[in-house]
């Protein structure tokens, strides 16, 4: 079943200019996406392509001007069920500092459940469970500002997990982290997807992160331009470069080699397999340097 | 440089004073304020001082913090003492007379009593913040004020604001640090010039700090909305304070203290 269904969605930000005239800025044009339960989806696109706006449609933070968004069968425009929508689709943002509310880790993780009026015993149970899931249980009585970036972001994820969402939307969760923190977060996300069957929508700038997804959606100027498995996306090196995006470095290397006569398969993303392929090509004497 | 600032003056611990229910602690603290003003002789004040002192010892808070708590009110004490000393009149002959200054024995007596009373009062009240973390204290205030909800007083909103403020103080201090360094790197000078130039030098710090604080507030509001925040209606709490034996004991001790003070008032 599709956990999120986006049907013919248009979205514009409306603002007023200096003369008091309304200007509308269309950021999403005729978006159609179905996301099946349990999928790990990565969304790529450079700044201003509308990917963050799209993320905000997924849990009813924004309501489209035309078209519909369904979360687990619920229309996000239905105000009476907005809390059901937000419980189903949890959202994690870029800056961990700006999404932690309380001064103690466990209090922050409990925040969503307190809002939902869950009973104290159940809150305690779920808070412990979420903190253990992201590996932050030992830090439950720490002050958030004393944690590292990766740890803070894991607390933020735990705060959302406590609602037991079926789907997790992460809007560039690693953008402000160091490489170590980035690794921690990606490991956590993949674990949630594999072991708990949580649907994951990861908006990112890092091609290496997107390469690990089941499916990649590429956005450009408010439209979905590519939607496929990562192998098929990153093999289109020229197209990706044309719209200002990168491909994983190994693919870039293979692409450059192919330009010089190699015939390497660009549709493999596993580093081990890539290495074998390259080794075979070199062993075969096919250096392919034509000039 | 700014990073070492601690918020409040909380000293974590596991003494009976720490473990007391924060609501009871807050109420007893207010009752203490009243009792200190009821106490009208030196013996009663002396007993109160001994009571506060023993509480400090029980809670394991170093006695030097008594003096630290008194520091901020020193100017107030000095000014009122001086005024009292010179302006109060009493019966009999003044013991000191020089031009328009006259000092009576009673004035000295009243002033000394007032100083002692304020010392005991402040030392006792400070024990509350020394032994209760700000978050627990906020919680206690929210719970104690909750009946005011019925007259539309925004109790929950107030508590939420206090919590968020406490949460963001370290973050914003860190941010200020960064801005100061960034402005210094651009040649800003905060150490020289007269008062006005120095104050002006802080504008390039305040402006970016405010801009960033607003940005943070915006993002925080989004994150809170994502976690189904909709005000205080129907909200539950992770921590459920329960009155324990220690609270009953504390209450009885305090009751005993109150009775002793009232008795000394009557018989001395």
């Amino acid at each position: 079943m599709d956990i999120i269904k986006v049907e013919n969605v248009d979205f514009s930000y409306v603002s007023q200019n200096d003369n008091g005239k309304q200007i509308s800025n269309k950021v999403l044009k005729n978006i159609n996406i179905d996301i099946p339960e349990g999928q790990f989806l990565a969304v790529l696109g450079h700044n201003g392509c509308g990917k963050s706006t799209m993320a905000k449609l997924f849990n009813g933070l924004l309501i489209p001007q035309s078209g519909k968004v369904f979360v687990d069968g619920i229309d996000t425009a239905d105000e009476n069920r907005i809390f059901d929508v937000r419980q189903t689709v949890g959202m994690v943002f870029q800056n961990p500092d700006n999404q932690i509310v309380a001064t103690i880790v466990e209090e922050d993780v409990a925040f969503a459940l307190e809002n939902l009026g869950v009973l104290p015993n159940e809150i305690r149970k779920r808070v412990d469970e979420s903190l253990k899931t992201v590996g932050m249980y030992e830090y439950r009585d720490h002050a958030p500002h004393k944690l590292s970036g990766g740890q803070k972001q894991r607390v933020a994820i735990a705060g959302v997990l406590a609602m037991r969402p079926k789907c997790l939307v992460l809007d560039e969760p690693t953008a402000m982290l160091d490489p170590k923190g980035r690794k921690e977060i990606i490991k956590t996300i993949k674990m949630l997807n594999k072991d708990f069957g949580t649907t994951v929508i990861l908006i990112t700038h890092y091609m290496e992160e997107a390469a690990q997804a089941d499916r990649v959606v590429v956005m450009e100027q408010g439209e979905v331009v590519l939607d496929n498995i990562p192998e098929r996306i990153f093999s289109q090196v020229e197209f990706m470069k044309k719209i200002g995006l990168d491909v994983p470095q190994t693919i870039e290397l293979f692409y450059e080699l192919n330009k010089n006569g190699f015939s390497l398969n660009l549709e493999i993303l596993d580093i081990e397999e890539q290495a074998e392929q390259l080794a075979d090509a070199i062993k075969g004497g096919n250096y392919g340097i034509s000039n | 440089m700014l990073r070492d600032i601690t918020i409040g003056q909380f000293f974590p611990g596991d003494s009976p004073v720490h473990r007391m229910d924060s609501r009871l602690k807050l109420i007893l603290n207010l009752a203490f304020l009243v009792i200190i003003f009821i106490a009208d002789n030196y013996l009663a004040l002396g007993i109160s001082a001994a009571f506060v002192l023993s509480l400090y010892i029980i809670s394991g808070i170093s006695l030097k913090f008594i003096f630290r708590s008194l520091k901020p009110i020193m100017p107030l004490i000095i000014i009122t003492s001086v005024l009292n000393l010179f302006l109060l009149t009493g019966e009999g002959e003044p013991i000191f007379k020089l031009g328009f200054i006259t000092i009576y024995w009673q004035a000295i007596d009243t002033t000394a009593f007032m100083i002692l009373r304020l010392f005991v009062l402040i030392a006792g009240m400070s024990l509350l913040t020394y032994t209760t973390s700000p978050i627990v204290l906020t919680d206690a205030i929210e719970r104690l004020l909750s009946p005011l909800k019925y007259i539309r007083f925004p109790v929950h909103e107030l508590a939420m604001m206090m919590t968020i403020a406490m949460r963001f103080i370290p973050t914003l201090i860190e941010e200020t640090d960064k801005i100061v360094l960034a402005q210094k790197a651009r040649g800003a000078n905060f150490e020289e010039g007269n008062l006005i130039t120095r104050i002006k030098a802080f504008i390039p710090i305040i402006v970016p700090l405010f801009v960033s604080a607003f940005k943070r507030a915006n993002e925080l509001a989004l994150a809170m909305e994502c976690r189904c925040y909709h005000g205080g209606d129907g909200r539950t709490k992770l921590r459920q304070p329960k009155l324990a034996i220690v609270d009953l004991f504390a209450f009885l001790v305090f009751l005993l203290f109150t009775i002793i003070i009232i008795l000394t008032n009557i018989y001395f």
Side-chain angles (χ1 to χ4, degrees), chain A residues 164-176:
Chain A
R164 294 189 178 150
K166 288 184 185 167
C167 176
L168 204 56
V169 179
L170 304 110
D171 191 354
E172 297 187 34
T174 59
M176 300 189 72

Side-chain angles (χ1 to χ4, degrees), chain B residues 180 183-184 188-206:
Chain B
V180 168
Q183 300 293 26
K184 272 189 185 163
N189 189 348
F190 302 112
E191 272 102 33
E192 277 170 41
N194 60 25
L195 192 67
I196 295 185
T197 23
R198 281 198 201 191
I199 291 171
K200 272 190 182 157
F202 274 93
I203 294 173
I205 297 174
I206 301 292

Side-chain angles (χ1 to χ4, degrees), chain A residues 56 59 61 83 86 97-103 106-108 111-112 114-115 117-118 120 123 145 159, chain B residues 135 160 166-168 170 216 219-220 222-230 234-240:
Chain A
K56 285 178 189 149
N59 73 344
L61 279 180
F83 295 130
R86 292 197 180 141
D97 268 327
N98 295 352
Q99 36 186 333
I100 293 176
V101 187
T103 46
E106 64 175 11
E107 294 257 351
D108 185 73
F111 182 71
E114 292 179 337
N115 290 335
V118 177
I123 296 185
H145 69 270
Chain B
I135 185 107
M160 195 73 216
M166 283 187 287
R167 154 73 188 79
F168 277 90
R216 282 180 193 280
E219 277 182 38
L220 183 71
L222 265 186
M224 284 168 75
E225 243 187 282
C226 285
R227 292 206 264 160
C228 303
Y229 182 69
H230 56 281
R235 221 165 170 270
T236 47
K237 286 261 177 192
L238 168 68
R239 261 177 239 278
Q240 291 299 317

Side-chain angles (χ1 to χ4, degrees), chain B residues 84-192:
Chain B
N84 265 348
L85 219 50
F86 295 145
L87 296 178
L88 282 183
T89 54
E91 289 158 19
E93 282 297 300
I95 54 163
F96 182 81
K97 207 168 168 148
L98 185 79
F100 63 95
I101 299 170
T102 46
I103 295 175
Y104 291 85
W105 171 245
Q106 258 179 326
I108 296 176
D109 182 52
T110 316
T111 309
F113 192 75
M114 182 207 75
I115 293 174
L116 197 61
R117 180 182 263 168
L118 278 176
F119 274 8
V120 176
L121 181 71
I122 299 299
M125 303 276 281
S126 303
L127 201 58
L128 176 71
T129 47
Y130 285 158
T131 60
T132 322
S133 82
I135 185 107
V136 173
L137 203 56
T138 316
D139 216 30
I141 294 170
E142 183 177 2
R143 280 175 205 274
L144 286 175
L145 292 183
S146 62
L148 292 182
K149 268 191 291 205
Y150 299 106
I151 58 161
R152 297 251 180 117
F153 185 79
V155 180
H156 165 75
E157 284 74 8
L158 211 66
M160 195 73 216
M161 271 160 56
M162 277 166 74
T163 310
I164 291 175
M166 283 187 287
R167 154 73 188 79
F168 277 90
I169 285 169
T171 311
L172 290 178
I173 287 175
E174 217 172 284
E175 180 112 19
T176 314
D177 249 358
K178 264 190 224 161
I179 297 172
V180 168
L181 287 180
Q183 300 293 26
K184 272 189 185 163
R186 292 178 172 84
N189 189 348
F190 302 112
E191 272 102 33
E192 277 170 41

Side-chain angles (χ1 to χ4, degrees), chain B residues 231-248:
Chain B
D233 292 343
R235 221 165 170 270
T236 47
K237 286 261 177 192
L238 168 68
R239 261 177 239 278
Q240 291 299 317
K242 260 192 250 137
L243 292 174
I245 295 291
V246 65
D247 297 309
L248 180 68

